[in-house]
Amino acid sequence: MFTYRGALLGLPVSHSLSVYLWGRMAQRCGHPLVYTRVSALKPPRLSEIFERLRLDFLNVTSPFKAQLQGQLAEVAPAAMRLGCVNLVVRHPKGLAGYNTDPAGVSYMLQDAAKEEVGDCGVAAQPGTPERLFVVLGAGGAAAAVLYVLTQSARRAIVLSRTRAHAEELAARFGCAGYDYLSIPEIPAQSVLIGCLPPGSSVPELPWRRFSAVYDSTYAHSPIRPLAERFSLPYTGGYDWLAGQAQEGFRVVYGAMLVMDEGFYVQPASLGGVPVYVGKRDASPSSGNDTVVLWADTDLEFQQIEAYEKAAAR
């Protein structure tokens, strides 16, 4: 039987549950899968990664989502609209880029009926059209959230540490952007959607004005402790991760795999300890518990290894 070969590219990747999700999906559909994690300090050459690891597809996470389009032969409409890719697939005519995050956002915010928009399944959002959605962050995750919110004409604002970043992203989706020092009055019953990476600082917010908190992060979230302190309903990013992985499976395998509710329950532990291998040692035999350190120098290798070991704790 044909064995698919996939990988996750990012920094860090040791903590990622993508290997777990893709392994479960491959098991469900009966296709063998070899899935490797690749960690790098700088944007790598995709052609080299695909050739060295003999990949069929590559998942992409922070910080490389917005840095790879120039290496692609084709970019899907959603990825073009968002300006970043999180999935690269090998096709006969070259590498094609997709963004499945809207499907993940849609699944996480699934309180209303689903509808098809563009090349990703997205859903209308919870609450009434008058409810304000406060998007915290101005990166690729925030763009995916705004992409989905605008499909159902929801009111939204963007908050970012840097005003220019907030305003630039907000302008793309027809809303307003603010920095942390100029946050406007937040109406009661608003919804906060956090799109901050682990380790980020969180601004002073009127937490009691929020009715619910959603999060793009499923590990080491900077906003979860605050949501819990104010006893707010909190939804972490695992549903987002699982929803976008399911959409990625559809793109790669060509069919939507129907999962039961148990599939969306985050595992208590991945199990196993990542085995770090160097770029020179990378091969198609690299397995699910490996992290390939895509480094050109010994110093880069040491920096990546230290970063990954810290993230894996």
Side-chain angles (χ1 to χ4, degrees):
M1 181 178 291
F2 178 77
T3 297
Y4 280 87
R5 300 192 184 277
L8 172 69
L9 170 67
L11 180 74
V13 293
S14 296
H15 70 292
S16 176
L17 292 173
S18 290
V19 60
Y20 164 81
L21 288 168
W22 280 87
R24 287 199 66 184
M25 291 189 293
Q27 186 178 37
R28 290 282 182 96
C29 73
H31 275 288
L33 172 68
V34 174
Y35 195 93
T36 304
R37 285 164 284 177
V38 180
S39 186
L41 288 176
K42 57 193 178 187
R45 289 178 55 202
L46 292 179
S47 59
E48 185 179 355
I49 287 182
F50 270 80
E51 180 180 358
R52 183 73 66 85
L53 298 178
R54 300 181 188 174
L55 297 180
D56 299 295
F57 67 93
L58 178 71
N59 295 123
V60 183
T61 188
S62 178
F64 301 119
K65 288 185 177 183
Q67 303 179 29
L68 302 174
Q69 292 95 317
Q71 301 185 50
L72 302 173
E74 180 182 351
V75 180
M80 187 74 72
R81 177 78 172 89
L82 293 170
C84 55
V85 301
N86 70 345
L87 174 64
V88 179
V89 180
R90 183 198 296 271
H91 290 313
K93 294 184 179 180
L95 300 178
Y98 301 84
N99 194 309
T100 65
D101 276 333
V105 174
S106 177
Y107 186 83
M108 185 175 72
L109 305 174
Q110 59 174 323
D111 298 352
K114 293 185 176 180
E115 58 182 333
E116 292 296 321
V117 177
D119 60 329
C120 292
V122 303
Q125 303 314 308
T128 66
E130 292 74 27
R131 177 172 291 180
L132 179 68
F133 289 81
V134 179
V135 181
L136 184 58
V145 169
L146 291 169
Y147 178 89
V148 173
L149 290 176
T150 55
Q151 305 304 319
S152 52
R154 302 295 172 171
R155 289 201 306 138
I157 63 172
V158 178
L159 305 182
S160 175
R161 178 191 297 274
T162 305
R163 188 181 186 95
H165 293 165
E167 291 179 342
E168 179 182 2
L169 178 63
R172 289 169 52 193
F173 294 94
C175 58
Y178 305 88
D179 61 31
Y180 291 171
L181 299 178
S182 61
I183 297 174
E185 182 177 356
I186 304 298
Q189 299 299 306
S190 294
V191 174
L192 178 68
I193 305 179
C195 298
L196 299 177
S200 299
S201 61
V202 181
E204 292 290 333
L205 293 172
W207 291 93
R208 300 189 187 281
R209 308 292 288 176
F210 297 117
S211 60
V213 176
Y214 294 87
D215 200 348
S216 66
T217 302
Y218 61 86
H220 311 299
S221 166
I223 68 170
R224 180 172 184 173
L226 289 162
E228 292 176 345
R229 181 191 303 175
F230 289 94
S231 301
L232 294 172
Y234 172 84
T235 301
Y238 180 75
D239 284 353
W240 178 331
L241 179 73
Q244 64 86 20
Q246 185 184 36
E247 172 67 7
F249 178 91
R250 183 192 68 79
V251 173
V252 173
Y253 284 72
M256 179 63 76
L257 185 63
V258 178
M259 298 294 184
D260 55 40
E261 292 184 359
F263 173 79
Y264 294 98
V265 177
Q266 182 172 345
S269 173
L270 267 178
V273 178
V275 176
Y276 302 99
V277 301
K279 178 179 177 180
R280 299 183 187 88
D281 304 318
S283 69
S285 63
S286 298
N288 293 340
D289 282 336
T290 63
V291 177
V292 176
L293 307 185
W294 205 258
D296 293 320
T297 66
D298 290 341
L299 179 59
E300 283 186 8
F301 187 99
Q302 294 166 5
Q303 290 175 328
I304 298 172
E305 186 176 37
Y307 201 96
E308 288 294 343
K309 286 185 175 179
R313 294 192 185 106

